[in-house]
């Protein structure tokens, strides 16, 4: 609508670089999760040979190179956005030759975001998930203690502060016994509070803990399935 703006405006380039930067943030964070999960301390997932390489010095090691490079390329994409912003910040409102510097960051960003999206899709498709290891991990560190506190509030009319104190005492017993909460006997629970009954054992496993998160945005299995269905509809 304005001839001056026509030749000097680069908002559309900045918006594309900004959007791709946000996309690359999410891809980088997902890559970081995958890198942690494939480490020996977790062993939740294994990458296919197509998206990993052997170590140059350790024959037993499989390096998550694909996701490490995705994580690294996010900095490059951010840099392209900052480079163009820096080029434009001191320019007058008309055309300046400086604006020809929009091409290189734009083309580089588009090329790299398309590449890393394609690679991440392949990584996810080929991932092998160690369900047994993940389930074992979900039972550590008294992960259902908050569910127990919620149960005390909902069923025994305690305030959450009171329930928090009761559960803390129960956790201390489990720590001394070196066992999980569901491995304690009901009599041990009743040493802390005589009103506790056998219903608590229905909420002391991770599966039930997850299933109970049914509110909007919750992480129950059904809610996650609904989110996947909605995401697929958006893609279509």
């Amino acid at each position: 609508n304005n001839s001056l703006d026509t030749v000097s405006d680069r908002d559309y380039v900045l918006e594309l670089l900004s959007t791709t930067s946000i996309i690359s943030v999410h891809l980088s964070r997902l890559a970081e999760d995958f890198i942690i999960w494939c480490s020996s301390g977790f062993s939740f997932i294994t990458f296919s040979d197509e998206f990993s390489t052997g170590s140059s010095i350790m024959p037993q090691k499989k390096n998550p190179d694909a996701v490490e490079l995705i994580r690294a390329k996010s900095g490059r994409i951010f840099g392209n956005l900052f480079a163009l912003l820096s080029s434009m910040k001191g320019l007058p409102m008309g055309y300046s030759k400086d604006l020809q510097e929009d091409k290189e960051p734009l083309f580089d960003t588009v090329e790299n975001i398309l590449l890393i999206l394609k690679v991440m899709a392949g990584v996810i498709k080929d991932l092998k998930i160690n369900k047994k290891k993940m389930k074992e991990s979900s039972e550590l560190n008294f992960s259902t203690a908050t569910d127990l506190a919620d149960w005390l509030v909902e069923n025994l009319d305690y305030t959450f502060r009171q329930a928090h104190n009761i559960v803390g005492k129960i956790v201390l017993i489990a720590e001394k016994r070196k066992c999980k909460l569901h491995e304690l006997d009901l009599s041990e629970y009743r040493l802390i509070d005589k009103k506790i009954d056998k219903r608590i054992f229905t909420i002391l496993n991770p599966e039930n803990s997850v299933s109970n998160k049914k509110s909007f945005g919750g992480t129950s299995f059904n809610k996650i399935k609904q989110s996947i269905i909605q995401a697929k509809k958006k893609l279509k």
Side-chain angles (χ1 to χ4, degrees), residues 81-147:
L81 171 61
F82 300 150
L84 186 57
L85 285 169
S86 299
S87 294
M88 296 192 67
K89 71 175 182 62
L91 299 182
M93 295 304 292
Y95 179 79
S96 299
K97 197 68 172 177
D98 310 52
L99 290 172
Q100 73 175 13
E101 286 297 307
D102 66 341
K103 309 298 185 296
E104 192 172 355
L106 171 63
F107 297 156
D108 183 72
T109 288
V110 170
E111 181 181 345
N112 277 281
I113 199 69
L114 292 175
L115 173 63
I116 63 178
L117 282 166
K118 183 178 180 181
V119 171
M120 183 60 88
V123 167
I124 293 171
K125 183 180 178 181
D126 288 359
L127 269 184
K128 293 181 180 178
I129 299 172
N130 187 341
K131 293 183 181 180
K132 181 181 178 182
K133 182 71 175 179
M134 294 180 83
K135 186 176 185 302
E136 289 173 355
S137 182
S138 72
E139 296 174 348
L140 300 176
N141 299 317
F142 310 109
S143 61
T144 56
T146 304
D147 298 270

Side-chain angles (χ1 to χ4, degrees), residues 9 31 109 170 182 222:
D9 172 68
T109 288
I170 293 169
H182 69 270
N222 285 335

Side-chain angles (χ1 to χ4, degrees), residues 153-199:
V153 172
E154 292 169 9
N155 293 275
L156 302 184
D157 295 325
Y158 285 118
T159 65
F160 191 80
R161 182 185 291 273
Q162 292 170 323
H164 189 286
N165 184 49
I166 291 168
V167 173
K169 293 176 181 179
I170 293 169
V171 168
L172 284 175
I173 293 175
E175 285 181 334
K176 290 178 182 177
R177 285 271 319 274
K178 295 182 179 179
C179 68
K180 299 166 186 172
L181 290 177
H182 69 270
E183 293 173 336
L184 289 173
D185 190 76
L186 180 60
S187 61
E188 293 173 294
Y189 279 95
R190 301 192 71 175
L191 288 174
I192 305 301
D193 191 299
K194 291 184 178 180
K195 291 192 287 184
I196 294 175
D197 59 60
K198 63 182 181 180
R199 289 178 294 167

